[in-house]
Structures are given as C-alpha cells and as structure tokens.
Amino acid sequence: MQALVQTPSEKNIFESLLKEQNIFRDRNAITPHFTPKRLPFRDKQISELSFTLRNALQGKKADNIFVYGKVGTGKTCTVKFVMQQLEAFALQNNGRAETVYVNCRTYNSKYKVLQRVMQKFFAEESFVGFSSSFVFEKLLDYARKNKKHLLICLDEIDKVKDLDDLIYALTRANDELEKSSVSVVGISNNILFKDKLDTRTKSALCELEMVFPPYNAEELRQILSERISLAFQDNVVDQSAINLASAVAARESGDARTAVMLLLRAGEFAEKSKSSKITDSDIIKAKRKVEEELVFNLISTLPLQQQLVLFAISSLSVNGKGTRKITGSEENILFSGDVYGEYNRIASSLGETVVSARWYREYVSELETYGLIITTQSGKGIRGSTRLIKLACDPEKIFNTLKKEIMKSA
Ligand SMILES: Nc1ncnc2c1ncn2[C@@H]1O[C@H](COP(=O)(O)OP(=O)(O)OP(=O)(O)O)[C@@H](O)[C@H]1O
Ligand SMILES: [Mg+2]
C-alpha cells in the first residue's frame, strides 16, 4: 500500500478547514462552563453573598448559606465568582480565608466530598483509603494550625447521599475550632430537596437562604449580547437570532444555560453549512438539539430509583401496553398504579430494592418538577380517582438512553 506523503507543493488538508472557521472568535466563551467576568442582573446576589462571606476575611465564622434557583439562573457562576474574589483578596491580605468548590454531582458522598476538599488544601498528599474520621481530623488540624476560615461550596448539594452526616460533621467542626472555622455554601436547583432534610441539617445549612430568580427575555438578550461579542466574530449573529434565542430560553425556563447552548449549537450549524451568519433558522435547528441534550444530561444524573420509575413509564409508553386513551383526549396516558406495577417488575428483575408506594409517589413528583413527565388527577369514575401520567419527551429516546444508563449501574 502506498503511504500518503504530502509534497511541499500540496496543501495540507487542515489548511482550508481552519480558514473556514470564521464564525467563532473564542468558542469557549459560549460554552456553559465559561465563567464571564461580568454577571449582569446578579448584582444583588453578589453583594448579599459577599456581605455574608466577608466575615471569613475578618477572622470570624461566616453563616452557612443555601442558594436555591431553577436551572441556568447563574447560581454556580455567581457563587464561583464571589469565592474567587474572596480568595484573591485573602491572598493579598492576611491569607486566612480559603475556599474550595466541590461539584457534588461527581463527589456525591461525605467521603468523596472530604477527599475533594483535602485535594485542595493538601495538593501534595493523597488521603484515598483513609477513613472519613481520619481525613476529617486532618482537615480540622489544617484549619486550626493555619487559623483558617474555610468556605466549602457544595454545588448540586442534593446529590450527596449521606448529606445529613456531612453537614452534621462540618457544623460540629466549629465547636472544636476557636480561631478558625468551616462554613458551607450549598447550591441546589431541586425545590423538593430541602423539605426532605433532617430538621437539624436544614437549620444548620439554611442560616441564610437566597433565591436566584429566572431571567426574563430582555435580561437573557443582554446576557447573550455580552457573550456573543466575546465568542463570535463581529456581525456574525443576526439581531433577530439573538432575540429569538432569548425568547425561546425565557419561555422554556428563564434559563441562561439554554440561551448560551442555543447560540453555541447554532454557531456550529452555521459553521458546518459554511455560512457566515447565524440566523433564526440555525436557532430553530439548535433548539431541538439543545432540548435533547438537556434532557439526556438530566436523566443520566438522576438517582437509580428515579431512573427506574422513568424507565417503567417510558417502557409502557413505547410498547403501548399500559397506555389508555382517555375519553375526550387524543393522548396516550398511563395510570399511576400500572406504572408502579411495571416499576416493581423491572426493579425486581434487576435485583434492585423495590421502594414502597409512598416513595414511588415522591419520585413521580420529582420527575414532574424536572419537567420530564406531566401528571394530572383523573376525575371520579376512572378507578375511583387516580393519578394519570404522561411522558413530556420522546418515549423511545428516553427508553433507549435509560436502558444504557441502567445497564451501566446494574
Ligand atoms: N448573569 C449572567 N451573566 C452572564 N452569564 C450568565 C449569567 N447567569 C448565567 N450565565 C451563564 O449561563 C450558564 C449557566 O449558568 P450557571 O451554570 O451558573 O447556572 P446554574 O444556576 O448553576 O444552573 P444549574 O442549576 O443547572 O446548575 C453559564 O454559561 C453562565 O456563564
Ligand atoms: Mg449550577
């Protein structure tokens, strides 16, 4: 076989490809992981957070804070911004306050959170394999010896399995510390989560509560305009495309992540079709893709039991077994009791715990708050009165994704 060797006169295959990339200036700036230097419409939250956390800079324990808000309302980027500012200020001054950010989607147990915290404070050492209590004592020693006021941000805190234990340990730490302290900033987008906490954990965590409201279309338009000037070449994005993306994201949920993702995917579509402009039609194409990505991202991080309930719903919807046509409605709807039966069958066949009907109803409510399903109460006459369930997304896609996810964890 002849090797493909390029002679000097021939053009490299990447040359024209890279020249064509004239849409993006800095693609990274329009990804959801990017933390912009300016956060419009979050001044109030920034000043409230910094006002409470300033205690750590003044040698005092800062109150614990619980930050709640729907997806994409800027919780993560705002808290990260304030903590970065605080740490930078502390470094230039007495260095007594230190922060650590933990994403509990990845570090989802007390043990894993502590490991992550230690990685920040003891960059050179590994504590893997040591017991939680040993690691915890080391952390306290560190705070004590260095007279540090530690601020631990637990993002997506609802993902921590043994949260009561973790919060108890972190709060109790302060009883043993004199010239140092540990404070927690917890973040969640799950409104039902707080009510499930142990009363003691709840009052410890929520010394101060902050709510991040959704953005309206005009706010999203301004946020997007700032990001666009960083991410795209001049005059690439049509004004009407910006307006459309803001309106779509505002209507869906007031979510800046959706808005940013719409522009990112629309940019990729425009680039692929070698167009020099992002237009309304790119946004419309992007909308479908982004919706799918957000749903799949969400369901792949659900706890296993909720995945099993959703799997039961999608399985019945796909094979049409449990769906019924309700008089006066064209939609295929499931009865809650049928779903519970199917859930029982699936969980048992996988050797997983089968939760009680009470917990099952709880999971159904959670799936509804995530917008994955829609439920209504039937009128009298349909088996007395029962909860009717309908999938809010494409059953086949949900079914196939969950099948893979569940197999992974089984
Ligand atoms: N006020 C703002 N100005 C500029 N960009 C913002 C603003 N608020 C949010 N964003 C951007 O929107 C995206 C989502 O924000 P962020 O991750 O902070 O949301 P969140 O509230 O933590 O959402 P979730 O609950 O899903 O974790 C990020 O790209 C972020 O940079
Ligand atoms: Mg977040």
Side-chain angles (χ1 to χ4, degrees), residues 356-367:
S356 67
R358 189 190 152 280
W359 274 107
Y360 157 75
R361 283 195 295 274
E362 190 85 21
Y363 294 149
V364 168
S365 301
E366 294 227 358
L367 294 173

Side-chain angles (χ1 to χ4, degrees), residues 8 14 26 33 75 92 95 127 132-133 142-143 156 169 203 207 231 250 266 313 328 356 365 374 376 385 407:
F14 289 100
D26 174 9
H33 310 292
K75 303 178 295 298
Q92 283 167 3
F127 291 92
S132 262
S133 51
Y142 175 80
E156 310 206 24
S203 63
E207 287 175 333
I313 298 171
S356 67
S365 301
I374 301 160
T376 44
S385 170
M407 288 307 151

Side-chain angles (χ1 to χ4, degrees), residues 75-77 101 155-156 187 257:
K75 303 178 295 298
T76 299
C77 60
Y101 170 85
D155 199 356
E156 310 206 24
I187 307 178
R257 178 177 300 107

Side-chain angles (χ1 to χ4, degrees), residues 375-380 385-388:
T375 75
T376 44
Q377 205 63 31
S378 76
K380 285 217 176 97
S385 170
T386 184
R387 200 168 184 184
L388 305 173

Side-chain angles (χ1 to χ4, degrees), residues 83-113:
M83 288 186 114
Q84 277 159 10
Q85 291 271 307
L86 187 143
E87 190 151 274
F89 186 88
L91 267 179
Q92 283 167 3
N93 292 276
N94 63 10
R96 295 225 358 236
E98 233 176 302
T99 69
V100 52
Y101 170 85
V102 184
N103 186 338
C104 303
R105 193 184 274 224
T106 315
Y107 302 95
N108 61 358
S109 67
K110 176 182 169 191
Y111 188 74
K112 288 184 187 166
V113 167

Side-chain angles (χ1 to χ4, degrees), residues 29-36 38-42 69-79 105 155-156 187-190 212 215 219-220 222-224 226-227 255-261:
I30 197 81
T31 61
H33 310 292
F34 182 80
T35 309
R38 266 177 41 82
L39 295 165
F41 313 109
R42 287 298 174 243
K70 289 195 173 160
V71 293
T73 48
K75 303 178 295 298
T76 299
C77 60
T78 305
V79 172
R105 193 184 274 224
D155 199 356
E156 310 206 24
I187 307 178
S188 175
N189 58 25
N190 182 345
F212 279 48
Y215 297 110
E219 289 170 339
L220 288 173
Q222 287 188 43
I223 289 173
L224 274 185
E226 291 203 11
R227 298 288 281 268
D255 160 2
R257 178 177 300 107
T258 300
V260 164
M261 289 293 292

Side-chain angles (χ1 to χ4, degrees), residues 292-359:
E292 274 186 23
E293 286 173 348
L294 293 175
V295 167
F296 296 132
N297 188 16
L298 174 63
I299 64 177
S300 60
T301 57
L302 288 176
L304 179 65
Q305 285 293 337
Q306 288 184 30
Q307 287 185 338
L308 291 173
V309 172
L310 191 63
F311 190 55
I313 298 171
S314 63
S315 156
L316 290 176
S317 309
V318 165
N319 63 33
K321 257 200 289 177
T323 56
R324 293 151 198 272
K325 287 227 187 301
I326 306 290
T327 333
S329 152
E330 280 308 301
E331 291 167 340
N332 287 325
I333 283 174
L334 301 165
F335 284 5
S336 181
D338 295 344
V339 174
Y340 186 55
E342 179 70 358
Y343 155 80
N344 259 270
R345 199 189 59 72
I346 294 171
S348 324
S349 72
L350 292 169
E352 295 296 339
T353 317
V354 176
V355 299
S356 67
R358 189 190 152 280
W359 274 107

Side-chain angles (χ1 to χ4, degrees), residues 23-85:
I23 288 257
F24 291 105
R25 192 196 304 275
D26 174 9
R27 186 182 176 282
N28 183 41
I30 197 81
T31 61
H33 310 292
F34 182 80
T35 309
K37 290 209 173 69
R38 266 177 41 82
L39 295 165
F41 313 109
R42 287 298 174 243
D43 292 344
K44 188 170 149 261
Q45 286 77 8
I46 290 173
S47 51
E48 206 172 331
L49 277 165
S50 40
F51 187 78
T52 302
L53 298 182
R54 83 193 189 295
N55 271 355
L57 292 169
Q58 296 172 326
K60 291 181 275 184
K61 182 194 172 309
D63 278 350
N64 295 335
I65 308 176
F66 178 65
V67 172
Y68 166 74
K70 289 195 173 160
V71 293
T73 48
K75 303 178 295 298
T76 299
C77 60
T78 305
V79 172
K80 270 190 170 172
F81 171 77
V82 171
M83 288 186 114
Q84 277 159 10
Q85 291 271 307

